[in-house]
Amino acid sequence: MTLDERRKLLPLATRAALASVGVAVFLFALKSFAAWHTGSVAMLGSLADTGLDLLASLVTLYGVRLAATPADHDHRFGHGKAEALAALFQVALITASAVGIGWRAVLAMGNSEPTRDADFGIGVSIVAIAATGVLLWYQRRVIRTTGSVAILADNVHYQADVLLNAAVIAALVLDQYLGQHGADPLFGIAIALWLAFGAFKASSNAIDQLMDKEWPETQRAAFLDVAAREVGLKGIHDFRTRRSGAQDFAQFHMEVDAGLTVARAHDLVEAVEHNLKRAFPKVEVLIHLDPEGHVDTDNPLVEADVTPHWFGKRL
């Protein structure tokens, strides 16, 4: 897919992000009234999660729009890490909400008063599941067309919301119809724990991007296998990778016969770049050319004894 084709698809991804924001606003308003009307801790937990969904959807919208912003003079590698910074801000809000919901649920454990108007709360949860289902269907269509990583992450997040709304229905049924008055705060605690777990995963992914964590080994090996297809390549070393938002970066030193002319060596580098771009269109590749057998004496990876040197095998 060419750069022009990717830019034409960006409005579609933006529309999907705007749809996500619209659904989150609707559900937040609906659940705010439902939480007040029913007094359900589980519904309150679902409301908190919907509020975070709204924030996450806004961040997704920001990320999708930011993806269309080219690198500039002050940000030569683009603006992808803004998503990781926004994610850490989300983590702080998610953690605070989880603590608040958990504390409210613990206090409600000693209260034998049942929730009110379970029918209304169940109806709200069913509407939420239906609205979320429509959004998931639309997002999947957009993902198939655009391959947007940001919309894919939002889609996974809303899949979990369907389970949360189902948990609210179960809590209300057990509490008001089956007389299990302790069920509602227990489900509230469960939702708080789920929010805390989601915060942990989000922080882990954000920190990995900010710390330039290497790609998974399977992805690294596949990348090197494509690079090895070009005849004339004698070896690869100092292979480094990182991810910034939806953009991947890879760089390595490529060894060729020391007797080649500059023009022929340059042609080999361009051939390798072409193969990699065709197989990994979302990766920006930087290749440094070395004569075969050359060893860098000022390489920090050598001092740490982690310098990869490869030809014809997986790292």
Side-chain angles (χ1 to χ4, degrees):
M1 185 182 297
T2 66
L3 181 60
D4 288 340
E5 289 172 333
R6 287 176 59 80
R7 285 176 175 169
K8 289 177 182 178
L9 292 174
L10 282 172
L12 184 59
T14 301
R15 287 198 295 271
L18 285 171
S20 177
V21 172
V23 169
V25 169
F26 167 70
L27 293 180
F28 186 80
L30 189 63
K31 289 182 181 181
S32 293
F33 179 74
W36 170 79
H37 185 70
T38 64
S40 168
V41 177
M43 180 62 77
L44 182 63
S46 182
L47 169 63
D49 185 65
T50 300
L52 295 171
D53 288 346
L54 175 58
L55 178 60
S57 297
L58 290 170
V59 171
T60 298
L61 177 61
Y62 169 76
V64 169
R65 294 180 66 85
L66 189 61
T69 304
D72 55 34
H73 181 272
D74 293 326
H75 305 90
R76 301 294 178 93
F77 290 98
H79 304 80
K81 287 191 177 182
E83 294 184 35
L85 293 172
L88 289 180
F89 177 71
Q90 281 192 50
V91 166
L93 293 180
I94 292 172
T95 303
S97 296
V99 171
I101 295 300
W103 179 249
R104 174 73 181 270
V106 169
L107 293 178
M109 291 288 287
N111 184 5
S112 60
E113 181 180 353
T115 56
R116 303 176 299 275
D117 199 355
D119 289 341
F120 180 77
I122 292 171
V124 167
S125 297
I126 292 174
V127 171
I129 290 174
T132 304
V134 173
L135 176 63
L136 290 173
W137 169 80
Y138 179 61
Q139 285 181 329
R140 285 171 185 151
R141 289 187 58 189
V142 173
I143 292 167
R144 282 196 297 269
T145 304
T146 66
S148 170
V149 177
I151 301 300
L152 177 60
D154 206 39
N155 184 264
V156 172
H157 185 78
Y158 274 101
Q159 290 177 38
D161 285 358
V162 173
L163 298 178
L164 274 176
N165 285 297
V168 170
I169 293 174
L172 290 171
V173 168
L174 288 170
D175 184 89
Q176 196 158 89
Y177 294 113
L178 300 180
Q180 302 297 322
H181 300 323
D184 182 64
L186 286 176
F187 273 94
I189 292 174
I191 291 173
L193 292 175
W194 184 88
L195 289 172
F197 178 67
F200 172 77
K201 289 200 302 182
S203 65
S204 177
N205 293 334
I207 291 172
D208 283 346
Q209 281 205 17
L210 292 174
M211 295 296 292
D212 291 334
K213 184 177 179 179
E214 289 286 331
W215 296 349
E217 286 301 321
T218 53
Q219 186 179 357
R220 286 168 54 85
F223 190 88
L224 289 175
D225 282 344
V226 173
R229 295 174 187 171
E230 190 60 35
V231 177
L233 188 151
K234 301 297 184 180
I236 289 175
H237 61 274
D238 293 353
F239 178 43
R240 309 182 194 188
T241 60
R242 66 186 182 90
R243 179 163 292 152
S244 180
Q247 180 70 50
D248 284 343
F249 297 88
Q251 64 184 67
F252 57 85
H253 289 219
M254 169 179 158
E255 296 182 19
V256 298
D257 191 312
L260 292 180
T261 64
V262 173
R264 176 55 184 151
H266 178 266
D267 289 342
L268 280 175
V269 171
E270 288 206 326
V272 172
E273 287 179 341
H274 175 74
N275 292 338
L276 290 171
K277 280 294 183 183
R278 186 169 54 186
F280 301 91
K282 296 181 180 180
V283 179
E284 182 175 314
V285 182
L286 176 64
I287 302 176
H288 176 82
L289 190 63
D290 279 337
E292 184 178 8
H294 175 77
V295 177
D296 294 318
T297 58
D298 59 347
N299 188 345
L301 294 180
V302 172
E303 297 175 2
D305 195 26
V306 293
T307 302
H309 193 287
W310 170 90
F311 184 74
K313 65 178 182 180
R314 294 176 181 271
L315 285 178

